[in-house]
Amino acid sequence: MPHLSLEYSANLRGKVDFTELCLKLRDAVLGTGLFEIGAIRVRAFEALAWAVADALPENGFVDMSFRIGKGRSQEEKKRAGEVIFSTAMNAMSRLLETQNFALSLEIREIESTLSWKKNTMHDRLREK
């Protein structure tokens, strides 16, 4: 269960290819070697209303939330976060050159006894 959700301000539509960004981030998560391919989910959601900092209309943000199951060391979680964050920074380097952009990432561990899931992709992908 590595689920990476991106929430972004609508003023970034057309400035960032979020489909491409999701694919790059998926590859980054997979490249850590810490997660099974069949469990990875990366998705982006547009915020149609937002107020950032001094409320200039050009202020924008991408907030990433990475939910993972328990079982990884603090060092492994930190390494995964660094890989994900640097991938996002590289993909949005032009925005980071402006004074109107905020990028964030938070990793959250999910308590397994409070998480239910059924994934039919695992068997197919584990056979490869």
Side-chain angles (χ1 to χ4, degrees), residues 52-104:
V52 175
D54 56 354
L56 291 175
E58 59 267 28
N59 289 351
F61 71 90
V62 173
D63 176 49
M64 299 181 290
S65 175
F66 191 45
R67 297 180 304 127
I68 62 173
K70 290 190 176 198
R72 286 154 198 94
S73 70
Q74 193 71 10
E75 193 172 283
E76 289 172 322
K77 291 182 281 191
K78 185 174 185 215
R79 180 170 53 88
E82 289 170 350
V83 168
I84 292 165
F85 200 73
S86 66
T87 299
M89 284 182 33
N90 287 337
M92 293 180 276
S93 60
R94 287 183 307 142
L95 290 171
L96 288 165
E97 293 172 1
T98 73
Q99 294 184 340
N100 300 93
F101 181 64
L103 177 64
S104 60

Side-chain angles (χ1 to χ4, degrees), residues 5 13 16 18 21-23 26 28 31 34-35 53-54 60-62 74-75 82 85 88 99 109 113 127:
S5 297
R13 188 185 318 133
V16 176
F18 282 96
L21 178 59
C22 285
L23 289 168
R26 174 213 163 267
L34 298 171
F35 308 99
D54 56 354
F61 71 90
V62 173
Q74 193 71 10
E75 193 172 283
E82 289 170 350
F85 200 73
Q99 294 184 340
E109 266 188 343
T113 59
E127 289 175 5

Side-chain angles (χ1 to χ4, degrees), residues 7-22:
E7 181 182 1
Y8 65 93
S9 54
N11 65 344
L12 297 181
R13 188 185 318 133
K15 294 180 182 176
V16 176
D17 182 337
F18 282 96
T19 299
E20 181 182 328
L21 178 59
C22 285

